[in-house]
């Protein structure tokens, strides 16, 4: 005599929604990380050659 299971079958969830949510969370986290990063440039001394800076007078 065969056994019949009348319990509802479990369906696999579609992983696209979970992947979309994960990518969205990673993107928001990356944007927050960029906002809190120190983006100041250290001051540097720039030496400019000014020997030939004046135009020749005619």
């Amino acid at each position: 005599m065969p056994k019949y299971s009348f319990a509802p079958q479990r369906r696999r969830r579609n992983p696209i929604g979970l992947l979309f949510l994960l990518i969205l969370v990673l993107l928001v986290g990356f944007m927050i990380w960029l906002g809190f990063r120190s983006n100041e440039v250290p001051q540097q001394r720039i030496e400019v050659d000014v020997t030939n800076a004046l135009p020749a007078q005619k």
Side-chain angles (χ1 to χ4, degrees):
M1 183 174 201
K3 290 185 177 184
Y4 293 104
S5 174
F6 294 105
Q9 295 291 327
R10 283 190 71 176
R11 294 181 61 193
R12 271 187 84 176
R13 289 179 50 183
N14 193 355
I16 293 177
L18 186 61
L19 287 175
F20 180 71
L21 183 65
L22 182 65
I23 291 172
L24 185 66
V25 166
L26 287 175
L27 185 67
V28 168
F30 180 68
M31 296 299 258
I32 291 173
W33 176 74
L34 280 179
F36 281 116
R37 242 179 56 181
S38 174
N39 53 3
E40 294 182 12
V41 178
Q43 292 183 355
Q44 297 177 355
R45 186 177 192 121
I46 300 174
E47 297 181 15
V48 179
D49 184 20
V50 291
T51 29
N52 297 325
L54 294 175
Q57 298 282 333
K58 287 186 178 183

